[in-house]
Amino acid sequence: MNDTTWTTPDLTGHRVLVPGGTGAVGEGVVRAFLEAGAEVIVPTRSEERSAEFRTMLGHAADEHLHLVVHDYTSFAGAQDLVEQIVHFRGGLDSVVAPIGGWWQGSTLAEITEQDWHSAFTVLGTTHMAVLRAALPYLTDAGAYTVIVGDSSAWPVPGSGLVSMEQAALLMMQRVAAAETGSSRRVFSLVLGPVTTRHAEGFVEAKDVGTVTVAISAGPVPSASIGLHDHGEVQTALSLLTAGEAR
């Protein structure tokens, strides 16, 4: 992003958990928080994946990056992860959850039980497990942000399970925001096509990361924010910096 009005906030000591951080969009989130000086905790599937991700980040992977091998896809696993972070880091300030992936398969009338399990149940359970474990521990210094795609609102034939799962996550954010009121800040970012190491889009993965940093650093109450082009990135940053969001 080439915006001279944006100044990266100082998040020194800010503890952020980024489940899904090794993914293409997650990489942009991790880079942005590291640039802000935060302590960034990224769970991975294996030591090999940790090493690969650290190499991919290059010089950005400094002493503030904490890669931990941990399965957080179940309620028990996510609870254990969060409790370990709170114990060893002294607390948890923010969560940014770019958990997920794309699924292309059959029509809804043709899906198998395995399709349903892998494309809806597993991802939905993982998001719910992380939110229920982390939300009670979050400090006033940060926020919880779930990242979804436009498929949450626009049906894609042959990828209906993705649309259903993403729509459920949007409602999860709204319910969590309503239930916690002013005691917690819970956001959703709704993304159009994103430029990553795998694809070309209309916003950069690093831009997504920059907006999540602004959310965690600022006082804006819970909201859902769309990021579909550079203009919407600039608008989001302006509103978040000013202390308001639509």
Side-chain angles (χ1 to χ4, degrees), residues 135-200:
L135 204 57
Y137 285 103
L138 290 191
T139 70
D140 295 338
Y144 194 106
T145 303
V146 59
I147 297 178
V148 300
D150 262 344
S151 58
S152 58
W154 297 97
V156 181
S159 294
L161 294 184
V162 175
S163 293
M164 292 167 64
E165 185 260 342
Q166 296 279 281
L169 295 183
L170 280 183
M171 183 53 70
M172 181 188 76
Q173 178 262 324
R174 292 177 63 184
V175 172
E179 289 179 343
T180 57
S182 60
S183 68
R184 296 288 186 277
R185 298 188 303 124
V186 187
F187 290 77
S188 58
L189 287 186
V190 184
L191 309 181
V194 179
T195 296
T196 68
R197 60 182 183 266
H198 300 309
E200 292 292 325

Side-chain angles (χ1 to χ4, degrees), residues 204-238:
E204 302 282 339
K206 182 65 180 297
D207 291 344
V208 178
T210 300
V211 172
T212 61
V213 166
I215 287 172
S216 289
V220 174
S222 301
S224 183
I225 300 172
L227 296 180
H228 301 89
D229 54 37
H230 184 69
E232 287 195 346
V233 172
Q234 297 294 333
T235 298
L237 290 174
S238 296

Side-chain angles (χ1 to χ4, degrees), residues 2-205:
N2 298 314
D3 180 16
T4 57
T5 65
W6 167 253
T7 301
T8 301
D10 182 2
L11 290 182
T12 300
H14 191 99
R15 299 149 300 190
V16 56
L17 170 64
V18 189
T22 61
V25 173
E27 179 188 345
V29 173
V30 170
R31 287 183 182 276
F33 274 96
L34 288 173
E35 184 178 327
E39 301 298 318
V40 186
I41 302 106
V42 182
T44 69
R45 296 187 301 272
S46 65
E47 293 290 353
E48 292 76 15
R49 181 56 181 150
S50 293
E52 291 172 2
F53 188 61
R54 187 176 292 276
T55 299
M56 184 185 305
L57 290 177
H59 294 302
D62 59 18
E63 69 275 11
H64 300 294
L65 175 66
H66 310 284
L67 295 166
V68 295
V69 177
H70 202 290
D71 181 5
Y72 56 88
T73 59
S74 67
F75 279 30
Q79 190 72 36
D80 181 61
L81 173 63
V82 169
E83 289 180 357
Q84 286 196 43
I85 292 170
V86 171
H87 176 73
F88 289 107
R89 295 286 160 193
L92 179 62
D93 300 300
S94 289
V95 175
V96 180
I99 304 166
W102 188 250
W103 178 87
Q104 188 82 32
S106 307
T107 66
L108 293 183
E110 299 168 329
I111 64 166
T112 66
E113 187 170 354
Q114 181 56 42
D115 292 334
W116 173 256
H117 178 72
S118 61
F120 189 95
T121 306
V122 170
L123 290 177
T125 298
T126 300
H127 271 282
M128 188 67 250
V130 174
L131 182 134
R132 70 175 290 277
L135 204 57
Y137 285 103
L138 290 191
T139 70
D140 295 338
Y144 194 106
T145 303
V146 59
I147 297 178
V148 300
D150 262 344
S151 58
S152 58
W154 297 97
V156 181
S159 294
L161 294 184
V162 175
S163 293
M164 292 167 64
E165 185 260 342
Q166 296 279 281
L169 295 183
L170 280 183
M171 183 53 70
M172 181 188 76
Q173 178 262 324
R174 292 177 63 184
V175 172
E179 289 179 343
T180 57
S182 60
S183 68
R184 296 288 186 277
R185 298 188 303 124
V186 187
F187 290 77
S188 58
L189 287 186
V190 184
L191 309 181
V194 179
T195 296
T196 68
R197 60 182 183 266
H198 300 309
E200 292 292 325
F202 301 118
V203 297
E204 302 282 339

